[in-house]
Amino acid sequence: MKRFVILWWALAVAGGVCGQSTKSAPAEKEKKPVEKKALETVGPEAPPPGMVWIPEGTFLMGSNDKEHEMPVHRVTVKGFWMDATEVTNAQFAAFVKATGHVTTAEKVPKLEDFAPEERALIPPEMLKPGANHFKKTAEPVELTNPLQWWEYKFHANWRQPDGEGSSIAGKDNYPVVCVSFFDAEAYCKWAEKRLPTEAEWERAARGGMEQQKYVWGKEFRPNGKWMCNIWQGTFPVKDAAEDGFHGPAPVKAFPANAYGLYDMSGNVWEWTQDWYSESYYAKSPVENPVNTTPDPNNPQGKPCRTIRGGSWLCNDCYCESYRPAGRQETTPDTSSNHAGFRCVKDGAR
């Protein structure tokens, strides 16, 4: 495992100065206006508890805002059910109680799990259970080295996401964090669901709107209202918490999108089943795409899965990944205190 050798927040996907994109391109000619018709939100059968129906449809995936989100391309996905919220601490606790599952962050890393060239770099005292953990800096820093605000926190896990002595007591309805891709997959299998594909996730996040910048529309703060849980203030020094929250927020703390999905923007990152590739969009099939092949040329130098939605750490000065097109990569064994997941389920055929 490479949980603390390479932190997943890659430098290559960092944004530019506040309010600006890293790269832009002309909008696709076939871009359409926002849909005006009523959304089809009634599924083919009775809804599974806590899930909403995402109808079959075609949409323009990606954006021209950042290079790793290009090109905008047309995609069609079948209808499916999706969890209305991120999986919560209470739901994950029920899974652990029923199965005895031990998460990646609770296991002692083994030296042989690392690449031979990395083993000499790892002191024996670092081989302890834990997760990647955000830490504020004392003063403003150049946003070029994420190791300035990330640390490997011993004994941080889903039960104590801020390390030994912390707790999720009283936070049953908060999203579970410090879970790896493998933990998310295990939960999905137990719940008889699965992780969404990137295309399914973006289709759902857009809520029937075509190429709008945010999951709620084109305006960042309609009527001056914060629409999601992200970072306000000087990153990574001080979070002004103008949206009401330092760190994760309870699920449903912000308005749902047009499909009835909460926190598709900000709060915590969400695992998808796709392998991450910056070149996949250029060759993606139109029908129900999912990248099943690890990219040997991934910017992190190792195969990564795609995560979506951004988190409470996202801001317009750095990653701006709270947009529906936002995407980043992380190794499957990585656990961090601002990443979780939600599940999907196929509809009746």
Side-chain angles (χ1 to χ4, degrees):
M1 290 176 285
K2 303 167 180 67
R3 286 178 274 172
F4 50 82
V5 173
I6 302 293
L7 290 168
W8 62 261
W9 199 312
L11 301 181
V13 295
V17 297
C18 298
Q20 295 183 359
S21 302
T22 56
K23 185 174 180 180
S24 61
E28 186 178 284
K29 292 181 179 179
E30 61 180 345
K31 185 165 70 173
K32 297 180 180 179
V34 179
E35 293 181 11
K36 301 296 183 182
K37 62 183 180 180
L39 292 176
E40 174 200 346
T41 57
V42 179
E45 71 264 3
M51 305 190 85
V52 299
W53 178 248
I54 311 301
E56 179 176 0
T58 300
F59 73 105
L60 293 177
M61 184 174 179
S63 84
N64 291 317
D65 290 339
K66 299 181 187 293
E67 189 171 6
H68 63 283
E69 298 167 2
M70 299 178 184
V72 174
H73 57 293
R74 190 166 292 281
V75 166
T76 299
V77 296
K78 295 178 180 178
F80 59 95
W81 297 100
M82 186 176 227
D83 288 345
T85 72
E86 294 146 336
V87 172
T88 65
N89 286 322
Q91 291 171 319
F92 199 79
F95 155 66
V96 171
K97 182 177 181 180
T99 64
H101 180 80
V102 178
T103 62
T104 301
E106 295 173 282
K107 298 175 182 177
V108 177
K110 298 178 181 178
L111 199 59
E112 56 266 31
D113 293 329
F114 296 86
E117 65 272 16
E118 296 172 338
R119 295 171 189 172
L121 304 175
I122 304 171
E125 62 268 20
M126 288 294 292
L127 293 175
K128 297 178 183 179
N132 291 338
H133 186 270
F134 171 78
K135 60 178 181 180
K136 295 180 183 178
T137 59
E139 56 188 23
V141 296
E142 290 292 330
L143 301 180
T144 55
N145 180 10
L147 293 178
Q148 296 173 105
W149 57 87
W150 283 104
E151 62 182 340
Y152 183 72
K153 191 83 167 182
F154 294 146
H155 305 298
N157 55 57
W158 75 273
R159 291 186 175 91
Q160 43 187 29
D162 293 316
E164 200 159 14
S166 64
S167 172
I168 56 172
K171 294 185 175 181
D172 281 355
N173 63 335
Y174 280 63
V176 66
V177 294
C178 294
V179 286
S180 70
F181 174 85
F182 305 118
D183 301 324
E185 272 202 320
Y187 177 94
C188 289
K189 183 177 180 181
W190 171 77
E192 298 183 336
K193 301 177 183 180
R194 60 178 174 82
L195 288 173
T197 66
E198 264 205 277
E200 288 172 336
W201 193 98
E202 188 168 328
R203 161 77 172 160
R206 291 190 178 278
M209 296 186 295
E210 193 75 288
Q211 280 290 291
Q212 295 297 291
K213 188 168 185 177
Y214 307 108
V215 304
W216 53 85
K218 63 181 180 180
E219 187 178 350
F220 181 43
R221 293 182 63 191
N223 299 316
K225 182 178 181 180
W226 289 102
M227 300 295 290
C228 62
N229 179 24
I230 57 177
W231 184 282
Q232 297 92 35
T234 303
F235 183 85
V237 182
K238 181 180 180 180
D239 177 17
E242 294 173 11
D243 56 20
F245 299 96
H246 287 291
V251 299
K252 298 187 177 182
F254 295 86
N257 76 354
Y259 282 141
L261 298 166
Y262 295 86
D263 299 312
M264 297 299 283
S265 178
N267 214 24
V268 300
W269 283 99
E270 300 179 13
W271 290 103
T272 71
Q273 58 175 280
D274 289 54
W275 288 102
Y276 182 85
S277 170
E278 292 190 1
S279 63
Y280 181 67
Y281 281 9
K283 59 187 178 183
S284 168
V286 173
E287 300 287 335
N288 302 300
V290 53
N291 186 12
T292 59
T293 305
D295 184 358
N297 299 314
N298 186 67
Q300 283 203 31
K302 53 181 64 64
C304 290
R305 297 285 181 172
T306 305
I307 52 176
R308 286 302 205 115
S311 80
W312 54 274
L313 288 174
C314 281
N315 59 91
D316 66 343
C317 299
Y318 188 62
C319 77
E320 205 185 8
S321 291
Y322 44 79
R323 298 167 297 105
R327 60 197 297 256
Q328 288 191 7
E329 78 276 19
T330 185
T331 54
D333 57 1
T334 296
S335 307
S336 68
N337 70 328
H338 74 328
F341 68 101
R342 77 178 73 212
C343 311
V344 300
K345 189 179 182 71
D346 294 323
R349 288 173 169 75

